[in-house]
Amino acid sequence: MITLLAVTLAGAIGGGVGTAQAEQNRSSHDRQLLFFNHSYGVFDRETADAIEHSDYLRDFANFQVRTTTGTDGQTWTGRYLMGHETYLELLGVGDVAGQDGTLGSAGLGLSTERAGDLATVTERLKDEGVADPVEFLQTRDFGDGVPVPWFDAVLTTAEYDAFGTWAMEYRPEYFADPRGNTEPAGFPGDVGRERYLSDDYRNHLMRDVTSVRLAVTEGDLADTVPLLRAGGFAVRTVPDGGVVAERGGTAIRFDAVARDDAGLQRIELSLNRPVKDRHVERIGHSKLVVGPGDHAVWTFGDSGAE
């Protein structure tokens, strides 16, 4: 799930990892260890409320609205569209305290499929120029005041402008807790995304996130590239200066912008079945276009305008 960087890492010591350049079609490692888990974005109140109360989204996806309590009792309220292996987390301004609750804040969670791979990612980060990766444990409180270990995570830095990426590995204690509603392991050491998510996606149209586009500051992008490389993504610079990370089923595009222009911009989704007609759903200051075919595109802000 979401890791609220500013509140979770309050008091953590760390600085930026410096400027990082993506090389054309470079993948630092043969075996991919990290995969797109979810992305979150903070939107204006009107859009967040429209998402929360959308009847269409409740039919389109395994849709949930909930308030979560994490490490040190910090809480956040999100609107979730849950797929087969990936999901989206959409928040409004103020749904989480501090820096993470400001307009345009966003994040990206990358997770392992096999127990122990996060430790390998952490070691790989040193080869990518990150001398002191930031490690932490996220917990979840199901309402009884007893936190359950949820996932281990690592970041390249505890400082950021508006966007952060973290690598994560679900904990066995969480899978063992029946309140998590997770599935049995498919193989020894299975800590994968499919096991974590419910099969209720089968009863809806949305299947998975196939592409995300994020506008981030140059500093946040520089701190993100080493983690992508350490996870095994193929990272390349595109002609307009953006960065694309591929491998593992979900393409991730970053555009370097000023802080005021930052945010989650565009999401592409696969569907469980093809649809014949094109459907356009306006949801606050966003536009969700479903079909024709087996895909959908959701754009936000100015990018959602006709």
Side-chain angles (χ1 to χ4, degrees), residues 136-202:
F136 69 97
L137 168 67
Q138 179 67 289
T139 64
R140 183 174 180 183
D141 185 340
F142 285 98
D144 57 5
V146 181
V148 177
W150 191 355
F151 57 82
D152 292 308
V154 63
L155 303 91
T156 63
T157 177
E159 298 179 359
Y160 57 99
D161 297 321
F163 172 81
T165 303
W166 64 97
M168 55 190 286
E169 185 168 293
Y170 292 117
R171 292 282 294 253
E173 297 95 328
Y174 189 85
F175 283 121
D177 195 311
R179 296 172 298 179
N181 295 314
T182 57
E183 300 175 3
F187 53 85
D190 180 7
V191 292
R193 300 164 296 166
E194 195 277 335
R195 183 183 177 193
Y196 176 78
L197 292 173
S198 164
D199 284 340
D200 188 58
Y201 77 93
R202 296 174 177 171

Short mmCIF file of all heavy atoms in Angstrom, two decimals, residues 136-202:
data_model
loop_
_atom_site.label_atom_id
_atom_site.label_comp_id
_atom_site.label_asym_id
_atom_site.label_seq_id
_atom_site.Cartn_x
_atom_site.Cartn_y
_atom_site.Cartn_z
N PHE A 136 12.87 1.13 6.14
CA PHE A 136 11.89 1.26 7.22
C PHE A 136 10.84 0.16 7.11
O PHE A 136 10.71 -0.51 6.09
CB PHE A 136 11.21 2.63 7.21
CG PHE A 136 10.29 2.87 6.05
CD1 PHE A 136 8.92 2.67 6.16
CD2 PHE A 136 10.78 3.32 4.83
CE1 PHE A 136 8.07 2.90 5.09
CE2 PHE A 136 9.94 3.56 3.76
CZ PHE A 136 8.57 3.34 3.89
N LEU A 137 10.09 -0.01 8.19
CA LEU A 137 9.01 -0.97 8.26
C LEU A 137 7.68 -0.22 8.32
O LEU A 137 7.50 0.65 9.17
CB LEU A 137 9.16 -1.85 9.51
CG LEU A 137 7.94 -2.71 9.88
CD1 LEU A 137 7.69 -3.79 8.83
CD2 LEU A 137 8.13 -3.35 11.26
N GLN A 138 6.78 -0.55 7.42
CA GLN A 138 5.42 -0.02 7.49
C GLN A 138 4.54 -1.04 8.18
O GLN A 138 4.63 -2.25 7.91
CB GLN A 138 4.88 0.27 6.09
CG GLN A 138 3.47 0.81 6.04
CD GLN A 138 3.33 2.20 6.62
OE1 GLN A 138 3.44 2.37 7.84
NE2 GLN A 138 3.11 3.19 5.78
N THR A 139 3.71 -0.58 9.11
CA THR A 139 2.77 -1.44 9.81
C THR A 139 1.34 -1.03 9.46
O THR A 139 1.10 0.04 8.89
CB THR A 139 2.97 -1.36 11.33
OG1 THR A 139 2.67 -0.03 11.78
CG2 THR A 139 4.39 -1.72 11.73
N ARG A 140 0.41 -1.88 9.83
CA ARG A 140 -1.02 -1.57 9.64
C ARG A 140 -1.78 -1.94 10.89
O ARG A 140 -1.58 -3.02 11.46
CB ARG A 140 -1.59 -2.29 8.44
CG ARG A 140 -3.05 -1.93 8.15
CD ARG A 140 -3.55 -2.56 6.88
NE ARG A 140 -4.94 -2.21 6.65
CZ ARG A 140 -5.68 -2.66 5.64
NH1 ARG A 140 -5.15 -3.50 4.76
NH2 ARG A 140 -6.94 -2.29 5.49
N ASP A 141 -2.67 -1.05 11.31
CA ASP A 141 -3.53 -1.27 12.46
C ASP A 141 -4.94 -1.52 11.92
O ASP A 141 -5.52 -0.65 11.26
CB ASP A 141 -3.49 -0.05 13.37
CG ASP A 141 -4.28 -0.25 14.66
OD1 ASP A 141 -5.14 -1.14 14.70
OD2 ASP A 141 -4.04 0.52 15.61
N PHE A 142 -5.48 -2.70 12.18
CA PHE A 142 -6.81 -3.04 11.69
C PHE A 142 -7.93 -2.51 12.59
O PHE A 142 -9.10 -2.80 12.36
CB PHE A 142 -6.95 -4.55 11.54
CG PHE A 142 -6.24 -5.10 10.34
CD1 PHE A 142 -4.98 -5.65 10.46
CD2 PHE A 142 -6.83 -5.06 9.08
CE1 PHE A 142 -4.32 -6.17 9.35
CE2 PHE A 142 -6.17 -5.57 7.97
CZ PHE A 142 -4.91 -6.13 8.10
N GLY A 143 -7.57 -1.73 13.62
CA GLY A 143 -8.58 -1.12 14.46
C GLY A 143 -8.55 -1.55 15.91
O GLY A 143 -9.30 -1.02 16.74
N ASP A 144 -7.66 -2.49 16.23
CA ASP A 144 -7.58 -2.96 17.62
C ASP A 144 -6.40 -2.36 18.37
O ASP A 144 -6.13 -2.73 19.51
CB ASP A 144 -7.50 -4.48 17.67
CG ASP A 144 -6.31 -5.04 16.89
OD1 ASP A 144 -5.50 -4.23 16.38
OD2 ASP A 144 -6.21 -6.28 16.77
N GLY A 145 -5.68 -1.46 17.71
CA GLY A 145 -4.55 -0.81 18.37
C GLY A 145 -3.28 -1.64 18.39
O GLY A 145 -2.29 -1.24 19.02
N VAL A 146 -3.28 -2.79 17.72
CA VAL A 146 -2.11 -3.66 17.68
C VAL A 146 -1.56 -3.67 16.26
O VAL A 146 -2.11 -4.33 15.38
CB VAL A 146 -2.46 -5.10 18.12
CG1 VAL A 146 -1.21 -5.97 18.10
CG2 VAL A 146 -3.09 -5.09 19.50
N PRO A 147 -0.48 -2.94 15.98
CA PRO A 147 0.06 -2.88 14.62
C PRO A 147 0.58 -4.23 14.16
O PRO A 147 1.21 -4.98 14.91
CB PRO A 147 1.20 -1.86 14.74
CG PRO A 147 0.92 -1.10 16.00
CD PRO A 147 0.26 -2.08 16.92
N VAL A 148 0.31 -4.56 12.90
CA VAL A 148 0.80 -5.78 12.27
C VAL A 148 1.87 -5.39 11.25
O VAL A 148 1.65 -4.47 10.45
CB VAL A 148 -0.34 -6.53 11.55
CG1 VAL A 148 0.19 -7.77 10.83
CG2 VAL A 148 -1.43 -6.91 12.54
N PRO A 149 3.04 -6.01 11.26
CA PRO A 149 4.03 -5.72 10.22
C PRO A 149 3.40 -5.92 8.84
O PRO A 149 2.83 -6.98 8.56
CB PRO A 149 5.15 -6.72 10.50
CG PRO A 149 5.03 -7.02 11.96
CD PRO A 149 3.55 -7.01 12.24
N TRP A 150 3.53 -4.91 7.97
CA TRP A 150 2.85 -4.91 6.68
C TRP A 150 3.85 -5.16 5.54
O TRP A 150 3.72 -6.10 4.79
CB TRP A 150 2.17 -3.57 6.52
CG TRP A 150 1.21 -3.43 5.40
CD1 TRP A 150 0.91 -4.33 4.43
CD2 TRP A 150 0.40 -2.27 5.15
NE1 TRP A 150 -0.04 -3.82 3.57
CE2 TRP A 150 -0.37 -2.57 3.99
CE3 TRP A 150 0.25 -1.05 5.78
CZ2 TRP A 150 -1.27 -1.64 3.46
CZ3 TRP A 150 -0.64 -0.14 5.25
CH2 TRP A 150 -1.39 -0.44 4.10
N PHE A 151 4.84 -4.28 5.44
CA PHE A 151 5.89 -4.50 4.46
C PHE A 151 7.16 -3.76 4.86
O PHE A 151 7.12 -2.76 5.56
CB PHE A 151 5.47 -4.07 3.05
CG PHE A 151 5.03 -2.62 2.91
CD1 PHE A 151 5.96 -1.59 2.76
CD2 PHE A 151 3.69 -2.29 2.88
CE1 PHE A 151 5.57 -0.27 2.61
CE2 PHE A 151 3.28 -0.97 2.73
CZ PHE A 151 4.22 0.04 2.59
N ASP A 152 8.28 -4.31 4.43
CA ASP A 152 9.56 -3.63 4.54
C ASP A 152 9.73 -2.78 3.29
O ASP A 152 9.25 -3.11 2.21
CB ASP A 152 10.70 -4.64 4.63
CG ASP A 152 10.68 -5.42 5.93
OD1 ASP A 152 10.62 -4.79 6.99
OD2 ASP A 152 10.71 -6.67 5.86
N ALA A 153 10.44 -1.66 3.43
CA ALA A 153 10.61 -0.76 2.29
C ALA A 153 11.99 -0.13 2.32
O ALA A 153 12.64 -0.05 3.36
CB ALA A 153 9.54 0.32 2.29
N VAL A 154 12.40 0.32 1.15
CA VAL A 154 13.68 1.04 1.02
C VAL A 154 13.50 2.16 0.01
O VAL A 154 12.79 2.01 -0.99
CB VAL A 154 14.81 0.07 0.60
CG1 VAL A 154 14.53 -0.55 -0.77
CG2 VAL A 154 16.15 0.75 0.61
N LEU A 155 14.13 3.31 0.28
CA LEU A 155 14.13 4.47 -0.59
C LEU A 155 15.56 4.91 -0.81
O LEU A 155 16.46 4.58 -0.04
CB LEU A 155 13.34 5.64 0.01
CG LEU A 155 11.89 5.43 0.40
CD1 LEU A 155 11.78 4.98 1.85
CD2 LEU A 155 11.10 6.73 0.22
N THR A 156 15.77 5.71 -1.84
CA THR A 156 17.10 6.25 -2.07
C THR A 156 17.39 7.44 -1.17
O THR A 156 18.55 7.76 -0.90
CB THR A 156 17.27 6.69 -3.53
OG1 THR A 156 16.35 7.74 -3.83
CG2 THR A 156 17.04 5.51 -4.47
N THR A 157 16.33 8.13 -0.71
CA THR A 157 16.49 9.34 0.10
C THR A 157 15.22 9.61 0.87
O THR A 157 14.12 9.18 0.47
CB THR A 157 16.81 10.56 -0.79
OG1 THR A 157 16.89 11.74 0.03
CG2 THR A 157 15.75 10.77 -1.86
N ALA A 158 15.34 10.33 1.98
CA ALA A 158 14.17 10.74 2.76
C ALA A 158 13.72 12.15 2.42
O ALA A 158 12.75 12.64 3.00
CB ALA A 158 14.51 10.65 4.26
N GLU A 159 14.39 12.80 1.50
CA GLU A 159 14.05 14.16 1.12
C GLU A 159 13.52 14.18 -0.32
O GLU A 159 14.08 13.51 -1.20
CB GLU A 159 15.27 15.07 1.24
CG GLU A 159 15.81 15.15 2.67
CD GLU A 159 17.04 16.05 2.77
OE1 GLU A 159 17.47 16.58 1.72
OE2 GLU A 159 17.56 16.18 3.88
N TYR A 160 12.47 14.94 -0.56
CA TYR A 160 11.87 14.97 -1.88
C TYR A 160 11.02 16.23 -2.02
O TYR A 160 10.67 16.88 -1.03
CB TYR A 160 11.00 13.72 -2.11
CG TYR A 160 9.92 13.55 -1.07
CD1 TYR A 160 8.61 13.95 -1.33
CD2 TYR A 160 10.20 13.02 0.18
CE1 TYR A 160 7.62 13.83 -0.37
CE2 TYR A 160 9.23 12.89 1.15
CZ TYR A 160 7.93 13.28 0.87
OH TYR A 160 6.97 13.16 1.83
N ASP A 161 10.70 16.58 -3.26
CA ASP A 161 9.89 17.77 -3.53
C ASP A 161 8.40 17.45 -3.48
O ASP A 161 7.66 18.04 -2.71
CB ASP A 161 10.24 18.36 -4.90
CG ASP A 161 11.68 18.83 -4.97
OD1 ASP A 161 12.16 19.41 -3.98
OD2 ASP A 161 12.32 18.63 -6.02
N ALA A 162 7.97 16.51 -4.32
CA ALA A 162 6.55 16.18 -4.39
C ALA A 162 6.29 14.73 -4.76
O ALA A 162 5.15 14.30 -4.80
CB ALA A 162 5.86 17.08 -5.41
N PHE A 163 7.36 13.98 -5.05
CA PHE A 163 7.19 12.62 -5.53
C PHE A 163 8.26 11.72 -4.93
O PHE A 163 9.43 12.10 -4.83
CB PHE A 163 7.31 12.59 -7.07
CG PHE A 163 7.34 11.21 -7.65
CD1 PHE A 163 6.16 10.51 -7.85
CD2 PHE A 163 8.54 10.60 -7.97
CE1 PHE A 163 6.19 9.22 -8.38
CE2 PHE A 163 8.59 9.32 -8.51
CZ PHE A 163 7.40 8.63 -8.70
N GLY A 164 7.84 10.52 -4.56
CA GLY A 164 8.79 9.55 -4.04
C GLY A 164 8.49 8.15 -4.56
O GLY A 164 7.33 7.79 -4.79
N THR A 165 9.53 7.38 -4.77
CA THR A 165 9.41 5.98 -5.17
C THR A 165 10.05 5.11 -4.10
O THR A 165 11.11 5.45 -3.58
CB THR A 165 10.13 5.74 -6.51
OG1 THR A 165 9.59 6.62 -7.50
CG2 THR A 165 9.95 4.30 -6.98
N TRP A 166 9.40 4.02 -3.78
CA TRP A 166 9.96 3.11 -2.79
C TRP A 166 9.85 1.67 -3.28
O TRP A 166 8.95 1.32 -4.05
CB TRP A 166 9.26 3.26 -1.43
CG TRP A 166 7.81 2.87 -1.45
CD1 TRP A 166 7.26 1.68 -1.07
CD2 TRP A 166 6.71 3.70 -1.86
NE1 TRP A 166 5.90 1.71 -1.23
CE2 TRP A 166 5.54 2.93 -1.70
CE3 TRP A 166 6.61 5.01 -2.32
CZ2 TRP A 166 4.27 3.43 -2.02
CZ3 TRP A 166 5.35 5.50 -2.65
CH2 TRP A 166 4.21 4.73 -2.50
N ALA A 167 10.78 0.84 -2.86
CA ALA A 167 10.71 -0.59 -3.09
C ALA A 167 10.15 -1.24 -1.83
O ALA A 167 10.45 -0.80 -0.71
CB ALA A 167 12.10 -1.14 -3.40
N MET A 168 9.34 -2.27 -2.01
CA MET A 168 8.66 -2.86 -0.86
C MET A 168 8.58 -4.38 -0.99
O MET A 168 8.60 -4.93 -2.10
CB MET A 168 7.25 -2.28 -0.72
CG MET A 168 6.40 -2.40 -1.98
SD MET A 168 4.86 -1.46 -1.92
CE MET A 168 3.91 -2.49 -0.79
N GLU A 169 8.53 -5.02 0.18
CA GLU A 169 8.36 -6.48 0.21
C GLU A 169 7.40 -6.81 1.35
O GLU A 169 7.65 -6.48 2.51
CB GLU A 169 9.70 -7.17 0.43
CG GLU A 169 9.61 -8.69 0.36
CD GLU A 169 11.01 -9.32 0.29
OE1 GLU A 169 11.69 -9.12 -0.73
OE2 GLU A 169 11.40 -9.97 1.28
N TYR A 170 6.26 -7.43 0.99
CA TYR A 170 5.25 -7.76 1.99
C TYR A 170 5.81 -8.74 3.02
O TYR A 170 6.60 -9.62 2.70
CB TYR A 170 4.02 -8.37 1.32
CG TYR A 170 3.24 -7.41 0.46
CD1 TYR A 170 3.12 -7.61 -0.91
CD2 TYR A 170 2.64 -6.29 1.02
CE1 TYR A 170 2.40 -6.72 -1.71
CE2 TYR A 170 1.93 -5.39 0.24
CZ TYR A 170 1.81 -5.61 -1.13
OH TYR A 170 1.11 -4.73 -1.91
N ARG A 171 5.37 -8.56 4.27
CA ARG A 171 5.86 -9.36 5.38
C ARG A 171 5.02 -10.63 5.58
O ARG A 171 3.80 -10.63 5.37
CB ARG A 171 5.83 -8.52 6.65
CG ARG A 171 6.82 -7.37 6.68
CD ARG A 171 8.20 -7.88 7.00
NE ARG A 171 8.27 -8.41 8.35
CZ ARG A 171 8.90 -7.79 9.35
NH1 ARG A 171 9.53 -6.65 9.16
NH2 ARG A 171 8.91 -8.33 10.56
N PRO A 172 5.63 -11.73 6.03
CA PRO A 172 4.87 -12.96 6.28
C PRO A 172 3.81 -12.79 7.36
O PRO A 172 2.78 -13.46 7.33
CB PRO A 172 5.95 -13.97 6.70
CG PRO A 172 7.14 -13.15 7.09
CD PRO A 172 7.08 -11.91 6.27
N GLU A 173 4.07 -11.88 8.33
CA GLU A 173 3.08 -11.65 9.38
C GLU A 173 1.77 -11.11 8.82
O GLU A 173 0.68 -11.43 9.31
CB GLU A 173 3.62 -10.67 10.42
CG GLU A 173 4.84 -11.16 11.18
CD GLU A 173 6.13 -10.66 10.55
OE1 GLU A 173 6.18 -10.48 9.31
OE2 GLU A 173 7.10 -10.43 11.30
N TYR A 174 1.88 -10.30 7.76
CA TYR A 174 0.67 -9.74 7.17
C TYR A 174 -0.11 -10.82 6.42
O TYR A 174 -1.33 -10.93 6.54
CB TYR A 174 1.01 -8.60 6.22
CG TYR A 174 -0.21 -7.85 5.74
CD1 TYR A 174 -0.75 -6.83 6.52
CD2 TYR A 174 -0.84 -8.19 4.55
CE1 TYR A 174 -1.88 -6.16 6.11
CE2 TYR A 174 -1.98 -7.52 4.14
CZ TYR A 174 -2.49 -6.51 4.92
OH TYR A 174 -3.63 -5.85 4.51
N PHE A 175 0.60 -11.65 5.66
CA PHE A 175 -0.08 -12.73 4.96
C PHE A 175 -0.72 -13.72 5.93
O PHE A 175 -1.73 -14.35 5.61
CB PHE A 175 0.91 -13.47 4.05
CG PHE A 175 1.24 -12.72 2.79
CD1 PHE A 175 2.56 -12.37 2.52
CD2 PHE A 175 0.26 -12.40 1.87
CE1 PHE A 175 2.87 -11.70 1.34
CE2 PHE A 175 0.56 -11.74 0.70
CZ PHE A 175 1.87 -11.38 0.43
N ALA A 176 -0.14 -13.87 7.12
CA ALA A 176 -0.66 -14.82 8.10
C ALA A 176 -1.87 -14.28 8.84
O ALA A 176 -2.62 -15.06 9.45
CB ALA A 176 0.44 -15.18 9.11
N ASP A 177 -2.12 -12.98 8.78
CA ASP A 177 -3.23 -12.37 9.50
C ASP A 177 -4.50 -12.50 8.65
O ASP A 177 -4.56 -11.96 7.54
CB ASP A 177 -2.94 -10.89 9.77
CG ASP A 177 -3.88 -10.31 10.81
OD1 ASP A 177 -5.11 -10.50 10.67
OD2 ASP A 177 -3.40 -9.65 11.76
N PRO A 178 -5.54 -13.17 9.15
CA PRO A 178 -6.75 -13.38 8.33
C PRO A 178 -7.46 -12.09 7.96
O PRO A 178 -8.21 -12.06 6.98
CB PRO A 178 -7.62 -14.27 9.22
CG PRO A 178 -7.12 -14.06 10.62
CD PRO A 178 -5.66 -13.81 10.48
N ARG A 179 -7.22 -11.01 8.73
CA ARG A 179 -7.88 -9.75 8.41
C ARG A 179 -7.35 -9.12 7.13
O ARG A 179 -8.00 -8.24 6.55
CB ARG A 179 -7.72 -8.78 9.59
CG ARG A 179 -8.41 -9.25 10.85
CD ARG A 179 -8.07 -8.38 12.03
NE ARG A 179 -6.63 -8.42 12.33
CZ ARG A 179 -6.05 -7.72 13.31
NH1 ARG A 179 -6.80 -6.93 14.07
NH2 ARG A 179 -4.77 -7.83 13.52
N GLY A 180 -6.20 -9.58 6.67
CA GLY A 180 -5.66 -9.06 5.43
C GLY A 180 -6.34 -9.62 4.19
O GLY A 180 -6.19 -9.07 3.09
N ASN A 181 -7.11 -10.71 4.35
CA ASN A 181 -7.85 -11.33 3.24
C ASN A 181 -6.93 -11.65 2.05
O ASN A 181 -7.31 -11.45 0.88
CB ASN A 181 -9.00 -10.44 2.80
CG ASN A 181 -10.06 -10.28 3.87
OD1 ASN A 181 -10.46 -11.25 4.51
ND2 ASN A 181 -10.50 -9.04 4.09
N THR A 182 -5.75 -12.13 2.34
CA THR A 182 -4.81 -12.48 1.27
C THR A 182 -4.97 -13.95 0.89
O THR A 182 -5.68 -14.70 1.55
CB THR A 182 -3.36 -12.20 1.72
OG1 THR A 182 -3.09 -12.94 2.93
CG2 THR A 182 -3.16 -10.72 1.99
N GLU A 183 -4.28 -14.33 -0.17
CA GLU A 183 -4.39 -15.69 -0.69
C GLU A 183 -3.22 -16.55 -0.22
O GLU A 183 -2.18 -16.03 0.18
CB GLU A 183 -4.41 -15.65 -2.22
CG GLU A 183 -5.58 -14.85 -2.78
CD GLU A 183 -5.53 -14.72 -4.29
OE1 GLU A 183 -4.58 -15.31 -4.89
OE2 GLU A 183 -6.40 -14.05 -4.86
N PRO A 184 -3.36 -17.86 -0.28
CA PRO A 184 -2.24 -18.75 0.08
C PRO A 184 -1.07 -18.56 -0.88
O PRO A 184 -1.24 -18.11 -2.02
CB PRO A 184 -2.84 -20.15 -0.05
CG PRO A 184 -4.32 -19.96 0.02
CD PRO A 184 -4.58 -18.62 -0.61
N ALA A 185 0.11 -18.91 -0.42
CA ALA A 185 1.30 -18.80 -1.27
C ALA A 185 1.20 -19.75 -2.45
O ALA A 185 0.75 -20.89 -2.32
CB ALA A 185 2.55 -19.11 -0.44
N GLY A 186 1.64 -19.26 -3.61
CA GLY A 186 1.64 -20.09 -4.80
C GLY A 186 2.91 -20.91 -4.94
O GLY A 186 2.96 -21.86 -5.72
N PHE A 187 3.95 -20.52 -4.18
CA PHE A 187 5.23 -21.21 -4.21
C PHE A 187 6.00 -20.79 -2.97
O PHE A 187 5.66 -19.77 -2.34
CB PHE A 187 6.02 -20.87 -5.48
CG PHE A 187 6.19 -19.40 -5.72
CD1 PHE A 187 7.22 -18.68 -5.12
CD2 PHE A 187 5.30 -18.71 -6.54
CE1 PHE A 187 7.37 -17.32 -5.33
CE2 PHE A 187 5.45 -17.35 -6.76
CZ PHE A 187 6.48 -16.65 -6.15
N PRO A 188 7.03 -21.51 -2.55
CA PRO A 188 7.81 -21.11 -1.38
C PRO A 188 8.39 -19.71 -1.56
O PRO A 188 9.01 -19.42 -2.60
CB PRO A 188 8.91 -22.17 -1.30
CG PRO A 188 8.32 -23.37 -1.98
CD PRO A 188 7.48 -22.82 -3.10
N GLY A 189 8.18 -18.85 -0.57
CA GLY A 189 8.70 -17.50 -0.65
C GLY A 189 7.84 -16.54 -1.45
O GLY A 189 8.28 -15.43 -1.78
N ASP A 190 6.61 -16.93 -1.76
CA ASP A 190 5.70 -16.08 -2.53
C ASP A 190 5.25 -14.89 -1.70
O ASP A 190 4.55 -15.04 -0.70
CB ASP A 190 4.50 -16.91 -2.97
CG ASP A 190 3.48 -16.11 -3.79
OD1 ASP A 190 3.77 -14.95 -4.13
OD2 ASP A 190 2.40 -16.68 -4.09
N VAL A 191 5.66 -13.68 -2.09
CA VAL A 191 5.20 -12.45 -1.46
C VAL A 191 4.63 -11.52 -2.54
O VAL A 191 4.69 -10.31 -2.43
CB VAL A 191 6.34 -11.74 -0.68
CG1 VAL A 191 6.76 -12.55 0.52
CG2 VAL A 191 7.54 -11.47 -1.60
N GLY A 192 4.07 -12.12 -3.57
CA GLY A 192 3.70 -11.39 -4.77
C GLY A 192 2.43 -10.58 -4.69
O GLY A 192 1.61 -10.71 -3.79
N ARG A 193 2.27 -9.77 -5.72
CA ARG A 193 1.14 -8.84 -5.81
C ARG A 193 -0.18 -9.58 -5.99
O ARG A 193 -1.20 -9.19 -5.40
CB ARG A 193 1.36 -7.90 -6.99
CG ARG A 193 2.63 -7.06 -6.89
CD ARG A 193 3.01 -6.46 -8.23
NE ARG A 193 3.33 -7.52 -9.20
CZ ARG A 193 3.44 -7.32 -10.51
NH1 ARG A 193 3.22 -6.12 -11.02
NH2 ARG A 193 3.74 -8.32 -11.31
N GLU A 194 -0.19 -10.63 -6.79
CA GLU A 194 -1.43 -11.37 -7.02
C GLU A 194 -1.93 -12.01 -5.73
O GLU A 194 -3.14 -12.05 -5.48
CB GLU A 194 -1.18 -12.43 -8.10
CG GLU A 194 -2.46 -13.02 -8.70
CD GLU A 194 -3.07 -14.13 -7.88
OE1 GLU A 194 -2.32 -14.79 -7.13
OE2 GLU A 194 -4.29 -14.34 -7.98
N ARG A 195 -1.01 -12.47 -4.90
CA ARG A 195 -1.39 -13.05 -3.62
C ARG A 195 -1.99 -11.99 -2.69
O ARG A 195 -2.91 -12.27 -1.92
CB ARG A 195 -0.17 -13.70 -2.97
CG ARG A 195 -0.48 -14.41 -1.67
CD ARG A 195 0.75 -14.97 -1.01
NE ARG A 195 0.40 -15.57 0.27
CZ ARG A 195 1.27 -15.92 1.21
NH1 ARG A 195 2.57 -15.75 0.99
NH2 ARG A 195 0.85 -16.45 2.34
N TYR A 196 -1.47 -10.79 -2.77
CA TYR A 196 -1.89 -9.71 -1.89
C TYR A 196 -3.29 -9.20 -2.23
O TYR A 196 -4.08 -8.86 -1.36
CB TYR A 196 -0.88 -8.56 -1.97
CG TYR A 196 -1.27 -7.34 -1.17
CD1 TYR A 196 -1.09 -7.30 0.20
CD2 TYR A 196 -1.82 -6.23 -1.81
CE1 TYR A 196 -1.45 -6.18 0.93
CE2 TYR A 196 -2.17 -5.11 -1.08
CZ TYR A 196 -1.99 -5.09 0.28
OH TYR A 196 -2.36 -3.98 1.00
N LEU A 197 -3.61 -9.14 -3.53
CA LEU A 197 -4.86 -8.54 -3.98
C LEU A 197 -5.98 -9.58 -4.10
O LEU A 197 -5.76 -10.73 -4.40
CB LEU A 197 -4.66 -7.85 -5.32
CG LEU A 197 -3.76 -6.61 -5.30
CD1 LEU A 197 -3.50 -6.12 -6.72
CD2 LEU A 197 -4.39 -5.50 -4.46
N SER A 198 -7.20 -9.10 -3.92
CA SER A 198 -8.38 -9.94 -4.00
C SER A 198 -8.68 -10.33 -5.45
O SER A 198 -8.33 -9.61 -6.40
CB SER A 198 -9.58 -9.18 -3.42
OG SER A 198 -10.80 -9.76 -3.79
N ASP A 199 -9.37 -11.45 -5.63
CA ASP A 199 -9.81 -11.87 -6.95
C ASP A 199 -11.11 -11.21 -7.37
O ASP A 199 -11.67 -11.54 -8.43
CB ASP A 199 -9.98 -13.39 -6.99
CG ASP A 199 -8.66 -14.13 -7.08
OD1 ASP A 199 -7.65 -13.50 -7.48
OD2 ASP A 199 -8.62 -15.32 -6.73
N ASP A 200 -11.60 -10.24 -6.60
CA ASP A 200 -12.86 -9.57 -6.93
C ASP A 200 -12.76 -8.77 -8.23
O ASP A 200 -13.78 -8.42 -8.82
CB ASP A 200 -13.30 -8.66 -5.78
CG ASP A 200 -14.70 -8.10 -6.00
OD1 ASP A 200 -15.64 -8.90 -6.16
OD2 ASP A 200 -14.85 -6.86 -6.05
N TYR A 201 -11.55 -8.48 -8.68
CA TYR A 201 -11.39 -7.78 -9.95
C TYR A 201 -12.10 -8.52 -11.09
O TYR A 201 -12.52 -7.92 -12.08
CB TYR A 201 -9.90 -7.61 -10.28
CG TYR A 201 -9.25 -8.86 -10.81
CD1 TYR A 201 -9.18 -9.11 -12.17
CD2 TYR A 201 -8.74 -9.83 -9.94
CE1 TYR A 201 -8.60 -10.29 -12.66
CE2 TYR A 201 -8.18 -11.00 -10.41
CZ TYR A 201 -8.10 -11.23 -11.77
OH TYR A 201 -7.56 -12.39 -12.24
N ARG A 202 -12.23 -9.84 -10.96
CA ARG A 202 -12.86 -10.65 -12.00
C ARG A 202 -14.31 -10.28 -12.22
O ARG A 202 -14.88 -10.55 -13.28
CB ARG A 202 -12.76 -12.14 -11.63
CG ARG A 202 -11.34 -12.68 -11.57
CD ARG A 202 -11.33 -14.11 -11.06
NE ARG A 202 -9.98 -14.68 -11.05
CZ ARG A 202 -9.67 -15.85 -10.49
NH1 ARG A 202 -10.63 -16.56 -9.90
NH2 ARG A 202 -8.42 -16.29 -10.53
#
